[in-house]
Amino acid sequence: MKLINICIFIFAIICIESTFGFYTDNSNVINLTKKNFQQQVLNSQQNWMVEFYAPWCGHCKSLKPEYEKVSNNLKGLVKIGAINCDEEKELCGQYQIQGFPTLKFFSTNPKTGKKGQPEDYQGARSASEIAKFSLAKLPSNHIQKVSQDNINKFLTGTSDAKALLFTDKPKTTDLYKALSVDFFKTLTLGEARNLNKETLEKFNIDKFPTLLVFTNDDGETFTKFDGKLTHSTIYKFLEPFSKKSNNDNNNNNNNNNNEESTKTTTTEKDPASEKFIEIKDEKSFEKSCSTGLCIVALFDQSSIDDKELNEKYLELLNTVSQNFIGRMKFVWVDVSVHDKIVPQFDLSGTPNIFVINNSKKRYTPFMGSFSDESLNSFFKSVLSGLKKAIPFTDSPKFNSQQKKQKDEL
């Protein structure tokens, strides 16, 4: 009786593993099937290591913890997938799988951007060796080498955006190689070394590595990356500058490498990303300015004369804002109603402007005349990190109810 119970228990475990596979949805190992294999693996730019396994296989069970470790260590760099051959017999037959586990590496041709025939992995079945093999396959020829001799050509050769990493490392990192695969033919990536002091000072490079995105061909307008050096963070920073994003914001098929980028394309567009909109409460402010840089214009709308003059200022601001769409949000506030904001940020008089990064609790006040040239110069300097940002504690304070307006007559 005891032996029968043990047999039933073992059979139940085998059935559960056959049904649900080794790898859960929370795992970084991606379960591949006939339905998603073409799109996920063959049509993607990313390199893939794929395990063909059977859930009852003892060697597969031994490999599982090492394979999980690889998927965690290579997240964002190389895709790690697995196919249950008990369930996907046709797909496993297509690749002539005769034993378990079998590991095959699907790499993207650096010239064509398409997948070729997979390569059998014959190395040790350890996380370190699988990772070493996979990282060695990352291409470096997607990245342009930039020096003092050709930096001007790199920056001004095309009006398309281009990313430039200023580094003191002798070799390209695996992270930057992986990003070059992600943005193959959609965003030019360059790597600059051994530049002279004058050039570094021009672009405000005071440490390595520093990543800048130059948005046109003037060689001067750039946006500085100041987040954590992780794949997901840098990808999210670069993605809006890519041709893929600019040409079709709703093309989800090319966003398999990052769930966050898919969510971005399906989110309703914020009006504040295209022109100045009036903000009347904290909820609206958080919606438009919770992350990234936000230009906040302050106007006093308490009289007809003020309103007419402010309309002209607002018209100028909307014209200037067209140069910074995709890099900043644009909002304005009536401080005759919400009178706490001016003293809160130590500003003087209206109209007034400041640029705020609400998530990092930093702001930069505008000092200059309301002119096209002055405003453009200020916004460019903020994006380039050339303007000092001032720390603050609380988000802008809005009055809960509108103050009673005085009669105009």
Side-chain angles (χ1 to χ4, degrees):
M1 185 69 181
K2 199 174 195 178
L3 181 60
I4 293 174
N5 288 336
I6 293 174
C7 291
I8 292 174
F9 175 76
I10 294 173
F11 179 75
I13 294 295
I14 292 174
C15 288
I16 291 172
E17 288 183 336
S18 296
T19 303
F20 298 103
F22 277 6
Y23 307 105
T24 67
D25 290 339
N26 294 327
S27 171
N28 286 317
V29 178
I30 299 171
N31 287 303
L32 298 169
T33 66
K34 180 182 178 181
K35 291 182 179 179
N36 67 6
F37 186 81
Q38 180 76 29
Q39 184 62 36
Q40 288 270 29
V41 179
L42 300 183
N43 292 349
S44 73
Q45 290 296 321
Q46 287 73 34
N47 289 345
W48 281 79
M49 176 66 81
V50 178
E51 175 196 6
F52 296 81
Y53 74 96
W56 45 262
C57 161
H59 291 300
C60 300
K61 293 177 182 179
S62 298
L63 176 63
K64 180 182 176 183
E66 294 295 306
Y67 205 58
E68 290 271 20
K69 191 184 296 184
V70 171
S71 71
N72 294 331
N73 293 341
L74 298 188
K75 184 178 181 180
L77 304 179
V78 177
K79 291 285 191 177
I80 305 297
I83 300 173
N84 182 346
C85 289
D86 274 4
E87 298 293 327
E88 301 295 332
K89 292 182 172 60
E90 182 180 343
L91 187 56
C92 293
Q94 179 182 336
Y95 288 97
Q96 301 177 346
I97 304 303
Q98 297 178 348
F100 306 116
T102 294
L103 297 178
K104 289 182 179 287
F105 192 79
F106 293 77
S107 59
T108 302
N109 186 304
K111 293 183 178 180
T112 65
K114 297 180 179 180
K115 292 286 192 302
Q117 288 297 315
E119 179 181 353
D120 287 331
Y121 173 72
Q122 304 287 4
R125 302 301 172 92
S126 66
S128 59
E129 288 302 311
I130 295 173
K132 183 179 178 181
F133 174 90
S134 301
L135 292 174
K137 299 294 182 178
L138 287 172
S140 59
N141 58 347
H142 293 344
I143 301 168
Q144 293 191 29
K145 306 301 180 184
V146 177
S147 65
Q148 192 61 51
D149 294 333
N150 68 352
I151 186 170
N152 187 62
K153 181 179 180 181
F154 176 82
L155 297 179
T156 62
T158 172
S159 60
D160 293 333
K162 68 282 295 179
L164 183 59
L165 179 68
F166 294 79
T167 181
D168 58 353
K169 293 184 177 181
K171 294 183 179 180
T172 305
T173 64
D174 293 326
L175 174 56
Y176 205 49
K177 289 179 183 178
L179 288 164
S180 75
V181 174
D182 293 332
F183 293 99
F184 180 61
K185 292 187 177 181
T186 64
L187 179 66
T188 300
L189 269 63
E191 196 171 38
R193 295 183 179 85
N194 303 320
L195 302 180
N196 61 37
K197 183 179 179 180
E198 182 181 351
T199 300
L200 295 176
E201 289 178 349
K202 177 181 178 181
F203 299 118
N204 198 32
I205 307 300
D206 53 9
K207 65 178 181 179
F208 299 111
T210 295
L211 179 63
L212 306 180
V213 174
F214 292 81
T215 53
N216 54 42
D217 58 358
D218 66 5
E220 297 180 355
T221 305
F222 59 85
T223 303
K224 184 178 181 179
F225 172 74
D226 60 358
K228 293 182 179 180
L229 294 175
T230 63
H231 178 272
S232 61
T233 306
I234 300 175
Y235 181 93
K236 191 174 181 180
F237 168 72
L238 294 176
E239 201 275 337
F241 300 102
S242 70
K243 294 178 184 177
K244 175 175 62 181
S245 174
N246 293 333
N247 290 341
D248 187 3
N249 256 351
N250 293 316
N251 185 4
N252 292 328
N253 291 332
N254 292 326
N255 291 332
N256 293 322
N257 67 309
N258 191 303
E259 290 182 3
E260 292 179 3
S261 59
T262 301
K263 292 177 182 177
T264 300
T265 60
T266 58
T267 302
E268 183 180 351
K269 201 165 189 178
D270 183 0
S273 63
E274 296 184 340
K275 66 177 182 178
F276 278 85
I277 63 169
E278 183 179 5
I279 298 295
K280 298 181 179 181
D281 53 52
E282 292 178 5
K283 184 178 179 180
S284 299
F285 181 83
E286 285 294 324
K287 180 180 178 181
S288 295
C289 299
S290 60
T291 60
L293 294 175
C294 206
I295 302 173
V296 183
L298 305 177
F299 298 115
D300 185 336
Q301 298 280 76
S302 58
S303 72
I304 292 178
D305 290 340
D306 287 335
K307 288 182 179 179
E308 291 178 351
L309 183 58
N310 291 337
E311 284 181 5
K312 294 180 180 179
Y313 287 134
L314 195 56
E315 184 179 350
L316 172 61
L317 284 171
N318 276 321
T319 299
V320 173
S321 70
Q322 298 306 300
N323 299 324
F324 303 95
I325 288 177
R327 292 179 284 169
M328 292 174 156
K329 297 287 188 68
F330 318 103
V331 302
W332 70 273
V333 180
D334 181 0
V335 294
S336 68
V337 176
H338 306 287
D339 56 1
K340 298 176 183 178
I341 296 177
V342 170
Q344 180 185 355
F345 290 91
D346 196 26
L347 304 172
S348 59
T350 56
N352 216 319
I353 293 176
F354 63 98
V355 176
I356 189 171
N357 188 326
N358 203 40
S359 62
K360 295 187 177 181
K361 292 295 183 282
R362 295 286 189 274
Y363 79 100
T364 307
F366 172 62
M367 306 288 287
S369 61
F370 262 70
S371 66
D372 185 296
E373 182 179 355
S374 182
L375 291 168
N376 267 298
S377 176
F378 172 67
F379 297 145
K380 286 180 180 179
S381 296
V382 171
L383 285 169
S384 303
L386 299 177
K387 291 288 185 181
K388 182 179 179 180
I390 303 171
F392 66 94
T393 304
D394 299 320
S395 298
K397 297 178 180 178
F398 291 80
N399 293 323
S400 57
Q401 293 182 344
Q402 289 195 352
K403 295 170 61 179
K404 186 177 180 180
Q405 299 292 325
K406 295 180 180 180
D407 291 336
E408 294 292 341
L409 298 178

